[in-house]
Amino acid sequence: MWSRIQTAVEMIYPPRCLGCGELVTADFGLCGSCWRDTPFIAGTVCEACGTPLPGQQDGYRIECDDCMATPRPWKDGRSALLYTGRARRMILALKHGDRPELARPAALWMAKIAKYMMHDKMLIAPVPLHWTRLLKRRYNQSALLAQHLSSETGLPHCPDLMIRSKKTPMLEGKTVQERTEILSQAITVHPKRRHRLIQRDILLVDDVMTSGATLTACAQACLAAGANHIFVLTLARVAKDA
């Protein structure tokens, strides 16, 4: 009976590519053309922020110039995609285009590249939105990614581990120093959730990493509240050569 229902649903609503809308063989997938055009990050990357780097891995920790100049308050960081082209369009659709279904396949891509960072006692937490922005968007895209990542990996997640107590302006176009100043004291750990991070490794999840200022504010808030090590995972990374 269930298989017949599924067949009927597929006939009415056949699976379509998440990128272009063409018919595909399975739900939440990309057609061959969109898969080729999606800029997945592979090869040598900065181990702190996930940006692609030239050369080969040599067994030693590799970091980009920015991360060496300004050490991150987290241990390791990875991103699944470069924030450009088709990836940028998909993320904007997830973020502003009322396409929450994109979070599920995105979380699968994120889980694959972050598998080495994860362990059983780790807690997944999304970067928070201010309540006014959440009211306008109706959902937090980072929380959706964290939720699906939790379902895929089996790791626990806390959607409201942190709160954005101060409404901040859009950070696009701001310098690193301006972003840092804007986010100062804007993000704190929820006082009723603090017990969940004491002496625990935290995996921070966000949609896009640009300068890392938002993730830095979150990591510092978690460390100040008693967390152990912080790791970051984003769907996409803005890279200088992108």
Short mmCIF file of all heavy atoms in Angstrom, two decimals, residues 39-76:
data_model
loop_
_atom_site.label_atom_id
_atom_site.label_comp_id
_atom_site.label_asym_id
_atom_site.label_seq_id
_atom_site.Cartn_x
_atom_site.Cartn_y
_atom_site.Cartn_z
N PRO A 39 29.99 24.60 -7.34
CA PRO A 39 31.41 24.67 -6.94
C PRO A 39 31.70 24.04 -5.58
O PRO A 39 31.91 24.72 -4.58
CB PRO A 39 31.68 26.18 -6.92
CG PRO A 39 30.36 26.78 -6.54
CD PRO A 39 29.32 25.91 -7.19
N PHE A 40 31.73 22.70 -5.54
CA PHE A 40 32.09 22.00 -4.32
C PHE A 40 33.58 22.24 -4.03
O PHE A 40 34.40 22.29 -4.93
CB PHE A 40 31.83 20.50 -4.46
CG PHE A 40 30.38 20.13 -4.51
CD1 PHE A 40 29.73 19.94 -5.72
CD2 PHE A 40 29.66 19.99 -3.34
CE1 PHE A 40 28.38 19.61 -5.75
CE2 PHE A 40 28.32 19.65 -3.36
CZ PHE A 40 27.68 19.46 -4.58
N ILE A 41 33.89 22.39 -2.75
CA ILE A 41 35.28 22.60 -2.35
C ILE A 41 35.96 21.25 -2.16
O ILE A 41 35.45 20.38 -1.45
CB ILE A 41 35.35 23.42 -1.04
CG1 ILE A 41 34.83 24.84 -1.29
CG2 ILE A 41 36.78 23.48 -0.52
CD1 ILE A 41 34.78 25.70 -0.03
N ALA A 42 37.10 21.09 -2.80
CA ALA A 42 37.86 19.84 -2.67
C ALA A 42 39.34 20.18 -2.70
O ALA A 42 39.73 21.31 -2.99
CB ALA A 42 37.50 18.88 -3.80
N GLY A 43 40.16 19.19 -2.40
CA GLY A 43 41.60 19.40 -2.44
C GLY A 43 42.12 20.07 -1.18
O GLY A 43 41.55 19.95 -0.10
N THR A 44 43.20 20.81 -1.31
CA THR A 44 43.85 21.45 -0.17
C THR A 44 43.04 22.66 0.28
O THR A 44 42.67 23.50 -0.53
CB THR A 44 45.27 21.90 -0.55
OG1 THR A 44 46.00 20.76 -1.01
CG2 THR A 44 45.99 22.49 0.67
N VAL A 45 42.77 22.72 1.57
CA VAL A 45 42.01 23.85 2.13
C VAL A 45 42.67 24.33 3.41
O VAL A 45 43.45 23.61 4.05
CB VAL A 45 40.54 23.46 2.43
CG1 VAL A 45 39.82 23.03 1.18
CG2 VAL A 45 40.48 22.37 3.50
N CYS A 46 42.34 25.56 3.80
CA CYS A 46 42.76 26.07 5.10
C CYS A 46 42.02 25.28 6.17
O CYS A 46 40.80 25.14 6.11
CB CYS A 46 42.42 27.56 5.21
SG CYS A 46 42.64 28.24 6.87
N GLU A 47 42.75 24.74 7.12
CA GLU A 47 42.12 23.90 8.14
C GLU A 47 41.36 24.70 9.19
O GLU A 47 40.61 24.13 9.98
CB GLU A 47 43.17 23.02 8.79
CG GLU A 47 43.78 22.03 7.81
CD GLU A 47 44.78 21.09 8.45
OE1 GLU A 47 44.45 20.51 9.51
OE2 GLU A 47 45.88 20.94 7.92
N ALA A 48 41.53 26.03 9.17
CA ALA A 48 40.82 26.87 10.12
C ALA A 48 39.51 27.42 9.56
O ALA A 48 38.53 27.56 10.30
CB ALA A 48 41.69 28.03 10.57
N CYS A 49 39.48 27.72 8.26
CA CYS A 49 38.27 28.34 7.71
C CYS A 49 37.72 27.63 6.48
O CYS A 49 36.62 27.95 6.03
CB CYS A 49 38.54 29.81 7.37
SG CYS A 49 39.57 30.07 5.91
N GLY A 50 38.47 26.69 5.90
CA GLY A 50 37.95 25.92 4.78
C GLY A 50 38.14 26.52 3.41
O GLY A 50 37.69 25.95 2.42
N THR A 51 38.80 27.67 3.31
CA THR A 51 38.99 28.27 2.00
C THR A 51 40.00 27.46 1.18
O THR A 51 40.98 26.94 1.73
CB THR A 51 39.48 29.74 2.15
OG1 THR A 51 39.33 30.41 0.89
CG2 THR A 51 40.91 29.81 2.59
N PRO A 52 39.78 27.30 -0.13
CA PRO A 52 40.70 26.51 -0.95
C PRO A 52 42.08 27.16 -1.02
O PRO A 52 42.21 28.39 -1.07
CB PRO A 52 40.03 26.52 -2.33
CG PRO A 52 38.61 26.85 -2.07
CD PRO A 52 38.61 27.76 -0.88
N LEU A 53 43.11 26.32 -1.04
CA LEU A 53 44.49 26.80 -1.12
C LEU A 53 45.24 26.03 -2.21
O LEU A 53 44.91 24.87 -2.50
CB LEU A 53 45.20 26.59 0.22
CG LEU A 53 44.69 27.39 1.42
CD1 LEU A 53 45.42 26.97 2.69
CD2 LEU A 53 44.84 28.89 1.19
N PRO A 54 46.24 26.65 -2.81
CA PRO A 54 47.04 25.94 -3.82
C PRO A 54 47.99 24.96 -3.15
O PRO A 54 48.25 25.03 -1.96
CB PRO A 54 47.81 27.09 -4.49
CG PRO A 54 47.94 28.13 -3.42
CD PRO A 54 46.65 28.06 -2.65
N GLY A 55 48.51 24.05 -3.95
CA GLY A 55 49.51 23.11 -3.43
C GLY A 55 48.89 21.84 -2.89
O GLY A 55 47.68 21.60 -2.97
N GLN A 56 49.74 21.00 -2.30
CA GLN A 56 49.34 19.71 -1.78
C GLN A 56 49.52 19.67 -0.27
O GLN A 56 50.36 20.37 0.30
CB GLN A 56 50.18 18.60 -2.42
CG GLN A 56 50.07 18.52 -3.93
CD GLN A 56 48.69 18.11 -4.39
OE1 GLN A 56 48.04 17.26 -3.76
NE2 GLN A 56 48.22 18.70 -5.48
N GLN A 57 48.72 18.85 0.39
CA GLN A 57 48.88 18.66 1.82
C GLN A 57 50.18 17.92 2.09
O GLN A 57 50.54 17.00 1.36
CB GLN A 57 47.68 17.89 2.38
CG GLN A 57 46.37 18.65 2.28
CD GLN A 57 45.19 17.83 2.78
OE1 GLN A 57 45.18 16.61 2.69
NE2 GLN A 57 44.19 18.52 3.32
N ASP A 58 50.88 18.32 3.17
CA ASP A 58 52.17 17.72 3.47
C ASP A 58 52.23 17.09 4.85
O ASP A 58 53.30 16.78 5.36
CB ASP A 58 53.27 18.78 3.34
CG ASP A 58 53.04 19.99 4.26
OD1 ASP A 58 52.09 19.95 5.06
OD2 ASP A 58 53.80 20.97 4.16
N GLY A 59 51.06 16.90 5.47
CA GLY A 59 51.02 16.29 6.79
C GLY A 59 51.06 17.28 7.93
O GLY A 59 50.89 16.90 9.09
N TYR A 60 51.31 18.54 7.62
CA TYR A 60 51.32 19.59 8.64
C TYR A 60 50.06 20.44 8.51
O TYR A 60 49.42 20.48 7.45
CB TYR A 60 52.55 20.48 8.49
CG TYR A 60 53.85 19.76 8.76
CD1 TYR A 60 54.57 19.17 7.73
CD2 TYR A 60 54.35 19.66 10.05
CE1 TYR A 60 55.76 18.50 7.97
CE2 TYR A 60 55.55 18.99 10.31
CZ TYR A 60 56.24 18.42 9.26
OH TYR A 60 57.42 17.75 9.51
N ARG A 61 49.70 21.12 9.58
CA ARG A 61 48.51 21.97 9.55
C ARG A 61 48.73 23.12 8.56
O ARG A 61 49.77 23.78 8.57
CB ARG A 61 48.21 22.53 10.94
CG ARG A 61 46.93 23.38 10.99
CD ARG A 61 46.61 23.82 12.40
NE ARG A 61 45.43 24.66 12.45
CZ ARG A 61 44.19 24.21 12.51
NH1 ARG A 61 43.97 22.90 12.52
NH2 ARG A 61 43.15 25.03 12.57
N ILE A 62 47.73 23.34 7.72
CA ILE A 62 47.79 24.39 6.70
C ILE A 62 46.72 25.43 6.99
O ILE A 62 45.55 25.09 7.21
CB ILE A 62 47.57 23.80 5.30
CG1 ILE A 62 48.63 22.73 5.00
CG2 ILE A 62 47.60 24.89 4.25
CD1 ILE A 62 48.40 22.01 3.68
N GLU A 63 47.12 26.69 7.00
CA GLU A 63 46.17 27.78 7.19
C GLU A 63 46.42 28.87 6.16
O GLU A 63 47.54 29.04 5.68
CB GLU A 63 46.28 28.36 8.60
CG GLU A 63 45.83 27.40 9.70
CD GLU A 63 45.77 28.07 11.07
OE1 GLU A 63 46.05 29.29 11.17
OE2 GLU A 63 45.44 27.37 12.05
N CYS A 64 45.35 29.61 5.83
CA CYS A 64 45.48 30.71 4.88
C CYS A 64 46.11 31.92 5.57
O CYS A 64 46.26 31.95 6.80
CB CYS A 64 44.11 31.08 4.32
SG CYS A 64 42.95 31.77 5.53
N ASP A 65 46.46 32.92 4.79
CA ASP A 65 47.10 34.12 5.33
C ASP A 65 46.23 34.82 6.36
O ASP A 65 46.72 35.30 7.39
CB ASP A 65 47.44 35.09 4.19
CG ASP A 65 48.53 34.55 3.27
OD1 ASP A 65 49.24 33.62 3.69
OD2 ASP A 65 48.66 35.05 2.14
N ASP A 66 44.92 34.90 6.08
CA ASP A 66 44.02 35.59 7.01
C ASP A 66 43.97 34.90 8.36
O ASP A 66 43.98 35.56 9.41
CB ASP A 66 42.60 35.67 6.42
CG ASP A 66 42.51 36.65 5.26
OD1 ASP A 66 43.43 37.47 5.12
OD2 ASP A 66 41.53 36.57 4.50
N CYS A 67 43.91 33.57 8.36
CA CYS A 67 43.81 32.84 9.62
C CYS A 67 45.13 32.85 10.39
O CYS A 67 45.13 32.79 11.62
CB CYS A 67 43.36 31.40 9.35
SG CYS A 67 41.63 31.27 8.82
N MET A 68 46.24 32.94 9.66
CA MET A 68 47.52 33.06 10.35
C MET A 68 47.70 34.46 10.94
O MET A 68 48.26 34.62 12.03
CB MET A 68 48.67 32.74 9.39
CG MET A 68 48.78 31.26 9.05
SD MET A 68 50.33 30.84 8.19
CE MET A 68 50.06 31.65 6.61
N ALA A 69 47.18 35.47 10.23
CA ALA A 69 47.30 36.85 10.71
C ALA A 69 46.38 37.11 11.90
O ALA A 69 46.73 37.83 12.84
CB ALA A 69 47.00 37.82 9.58
N THR A 70 45.18 36.51 11.84
CA THR A 70 44.20 36.67 12.92
C THR A 70 43.70 35.29 13.32
O THR A 70 42.75 34.77 12.73
CB THR A 70 43.02 37.54 12.47
OG1 THR A 70 43.50 38.78 11.95
CG2 THR A 70 42.07 37.80 13.63
N PRO A 71 44.35 34.65 14.29
CA PRO A 71 43.95 33.30 14.71
C PRO A 71 42.48 33.24 15.09
O PRO A 71 41.95 34.14 15.75
CB PRO A 71 44.86 33.04 15.92
CG PRO A 71 46.05 33.91 15.68
CD PRO A 71 45.52 35.15 15.04
N ARG A 72 41.83 32.17 14.69
CA ARG A 72 40.40 31.97 14.97
C ARG A 72 40.21 31.41 16.38
O ARG A 72 41.06 30.67 16.88
CB ARG A 72 39.80 31.00 13.96
CG ARG A 72 40.09 31.34 12.50
CD ARG A 72 39.39 32.58 12.04
NE ARG A 72 39.56 32.81 10.61
CZ ARG A 72 38.99 33.79 9.93
NH1 ARG A 72 38.19 34.65 10.55
NH2 ARG A 72 39.20 33.93 8.62
N PRO A 73 39.08 31.73 17.02
CA PRO A 73 38.81 31.18 18.36
C PRO A 73 38.25 29.76 18.32
O PRO A 73 37.75 29.27 19.33
CB PRO A 73 37.79 32.18 18.93
CG PRO A 73 37.06 32.67 17.74
CD PRO A 73 38.07 32.73 16.63
N TRP A 74 38.28 29.14 17.15
CA TRP A 74 37.84 27.75 17.03
C TRP A 74 39.00 26.88 16.56
O TRP A 74 40.03 27.38 16.11
CB TRP A 74 36.65 27.64 16.08
CG TRP A 74 36.89 28.14 14.69
CD1 TRP A 74 37.54 27.52 13.68
CD2 TRP A 74 36.45 29.40 14.14
NE1 TRP A 74 37.55 28.28 12.54
CE2 TRP A 74 36.88 29.45 12.79
CE3 TRP A 74 35.74 30.49 14.65
CZ2 TRP A 74 36.62 30.53 11.96
CZ3 TRP A 74 35.48 31.57 13.82
CH2 TRP A 74 35.92 31.59 12.50
N LYS A 75 38.79 25.58 16.66
CA LYS A 75 39.87 24.63 16.34
C LYS A 75 39.97 24.37 14.85
O LYS A 75 41.03 24.55 14.25
CB LYS A 75 39.63 23.32 17.10
CG LYS A 75 40.83 22.38 17.08
CD LYS A 75 40.63 21.21 18.04
CE LYS A 75 41.85 20.31 18.05
NZ LYS A 75 41.65 19.15 18.96
N ASP A 76 38.92 23.89 14.23
CA ASP A 76 38.91 23.60 12.79
C ASP A 76 37.64 24.14 12.16
O ASP A 76 36.61 24.27 12.84
CB ASP A 76 38.99 22.09 12.53
CG ASP A 76 40.35 21.50 12.87
OD1 ASP A 76 41.36 22.22 12.75
OD2 ASP A 76 40.39 20.33 13.27
#
